[in-house]
Amino acid sequence: MELAFLAPAIPAIAFIAILLFGRWLPGKGSYLSIGAITASVVIFFILLIDLVENGGGVSSIDWFDAGSTQFTLGTSVSPISVAMIGIVSFVALMIQVYSLKYMEGDPRIGWYYAVHSLFAAAMMALVLADNLLFLYIAWEGVGLGSYLLIGFWWERRSASEAAKKAFITTRIGDVGLLIGIILLFRETGTFEIAAIFEAAQAGEIGQNILNWSMFLIFLGAAGKSAQVPFHVWLPDAMEGPTPVSALIHAATMVAAGVFLVAVLFPLYELTPFVLDLIAAIGITTALGAAMIAVVMTDMKRILAYSTVSHLGFMMLALGAGEVGIAMFHLIAHAFAKAVLFLGAGSVSHGTGGQTDIRKMGGLWRKMPITTATFTISALSLAGLPPLGGFFSKDEILRAVWDGRISGAYLIVALIAVVFSAIYTARIIYRVFFAPASDESARAHESPIAMIGPMVLLTAFGAVVGAIAFEWGNFGGFIGWVANEAMPHGIEFTVWLTVLSAALAIGSMAFVFRMFHTGGGAVDSIRERLSPAQRLLENRFYFDELYQWFVDRVVMTTSGVIGWFDRRAINDEGVDGLPNATGWWARELRYLQTGKVYNYAAGMAAGAAIGAIIWWVQ
């Protein structure tokens, strides 16, 4: 347990070393970065063994004192933190190995690997943090890493704009997170998560304060995990290198929000209204993003909206009161989504940079390994048995049906499952099995350094469902990661399992048949649903609404405030006093001229005025 801090510390040291000495290191620091994240994977296994044998715990040191308050800096080794360390370190390792070939020849490859190390270090520090202050610092480190990697090719305007959009959008939620943390500190006098849990359960935090603080903290989680209405940054984040998208969408940035709600769930249990809000936002995000993904034509943008949708499913599970199920889906999604984005990068690499699915087709002949890994991972997320995503999706549906929220959520969730199957079938067919285009005819399979990590991630993603079952003394991941008193494995509701699988398989078969028989049926559906298609292609006009708000409200208000600042504050308030002093000085100087006739004239005028006043009275 005392070694836990090394998991983030080693990549952080690698970041500093590459930053300072990268130009003289082998591979400009890429091998050092890979070695550092490999060390984090080894530490994960050490932590896992220690956790199983000794139960984990908290290890902390004194940090600093402020008045009578003492702040500590420590790590918390628990099932949920160790699970996150495992997924972050392993996925980051696979992506860094993949990047050796994908980013080969880039003049800033040293900076790329340096920020990769920083990003992974910040995320691992976040999941190990034993207090909210340390967590918030790591949280901002994750935001910084995402900003630098999304805008890695900053010379492209689209990349720099996407980086700013991600940074600003998530900052809005982070303000809420910071205020929520301060409210909890004001009530309890501590940032330590365990101590805050004890105070809340003892009734030492007022219910109104607790409600507001947990709502504000959820704003931060919604920003990082791209929940409505903060979801707009994530699809644009694909402007960074494709391996960066894999890291953000699978194991780091977007997982942070889900983790935050999960790790603070004992507080959320005391705020049922906020849990209801989380469930409502989660199901809205899951359905809305899945619908948008159906009409997108850019391969990476389809996958981005898929991520938003599945993050919504995770939040739905949390709103239903199931931490273990949400974390189970997070891990199944991490493996699959990493493969899907790396697969998109492999397709782009093999086709000369193509990402438009309308210009692809027939790639299964040219890129068989990419086709196999991408298809298996996509089918997993679509919920086809017996792949890992099938079990996690089924558990979410069961949690909604048996949980604390209305059964109406289940109907919407099943509709979202149908849309997920539709966009999955569409991207698989159009990219790999449709008639080959001229551009895809020149495609070629990616090198072993790229397809090797994809194969490993696919294998883990396909069998990850096994951790949900009871094996010997292991009661199953779902109960174990939630630290439940009675750990349990996966539970099936037979009719619901059959229904969800049938909907997914049937929807995919329908889409494959439509495309295979020609485009007439697809064009007919588009024509009939053209208003809905325009709505979805414009992504429910969220971006337009925000741009209008910025142009009409923010800029107008800023203009008024700017005018007031210049005229009232600056011109009158700041410059007005010295200007008035100067004017009075110039006028009053005539009282002291040193000339007798001026003084005589003054006395005569004074006498005349005095005489007039006396006469009037």
Side-chain angles (χ1 to χ4, degrees), residues 24 43 94 131 153 163 261 265 272 277 317 319 330 347 361 383 393 421 484 524 550 591:
W24 299 288
I43 292 168
M94 293 295 100
N131 68 81
W153 287 317
V261 176
F265 197 76
L277 180 64
L330 185 151
V347 168
K393 178 215 67 178
E484 296 182 7
S524 176
V550 170
L591 297 178

Side-chain angles (χ1 to χ4, degrees), residues 296-316:
M296 293 291 104
T297 56
D298 185 278
M299 193 176 185
K300 290 172 66 176
R301 196 172 287 274
I302 294 171
L303 297 178
Y305 278 106
S306 168
T307 299
V308 176
S309 180
H310 282 279
L311 290 168
F313 276 116
M314 297 173 208
M315 287 296 185
L316 175 62

Side-chain angles (χ1 to χ4, degrees), residues 350-518:
T351 58
Q354 186 58 255
T355 60
D356 191 334
I357 65 173
R358 296 169 297 182
K359 299 178 181 179
M360 300 181 190
L363 292 182
W364 71 273
R365 296 179 184 275
K366 302 286 185 177
M367 309 178 71
I369 299 177
T370 298
T371 301
T373 54
F374 189 98
T375 301
I376 292 171
S377 299
L379 293 178
S380 175
L381 282 189
L384 268 67
L387 302 172
F390 162 75
F391 296 104
S392 61
K393 178 215 67 178
D394 186 74
E395 282 296 281
I396 291 175
L397 296 176
R398 185 191 61 77
V400 173
W401 177 249
D402 296 336
R404 55 175 297 281
I405 55 179
S406 168
Y409 283 82
L410 178 62
I411 298 174
V412 182
L414 289 172
I415 296 172
V417 167
V418 170
F419 278 102
S420 296
I422 292 173
Y423 69 67
T424 299
R426 177 171 172 259
I427 193 172
I428 291 174
Y429 181 85
R430 294 298 296 264
V431 174
F432 299 105
F433 299 105
S437 66
D438 293 336
E439 296 183 36
S440 61
R442 298 186 296 273
H444 57 83
E445 186 61 274
S446 298
I448 187 66
M450 292 174 63
I451 60 176
M454 292 166 58
V455 170
L456 279 175
L457 288 166
T458 301
F460 279 104
V463 302
V464 72
I467 66 174
F469 292 88
E470 297 183 29
W471 301 96
N473 294 326
F474 180 64
F477 178 84
I478 294 171
W480 176 75
V481 78
N483 257 335
E484 296 182 7
M486 295 293 293
H488 60 83
I490 194 169
E491 301 174 13
F492 288 102
T493 302
V494 177
W495 70 268
L496 188 55
T497 300
V498 173
L499 176 60
S500 63
L503 286 174
I505 295 172
S507 300
M508 294 191 71
F510 175 73
V511 172
F512 271 109
R513 180 174 177 81
M514 276 204 312
F515 279 115
H516 186 68
T517 55

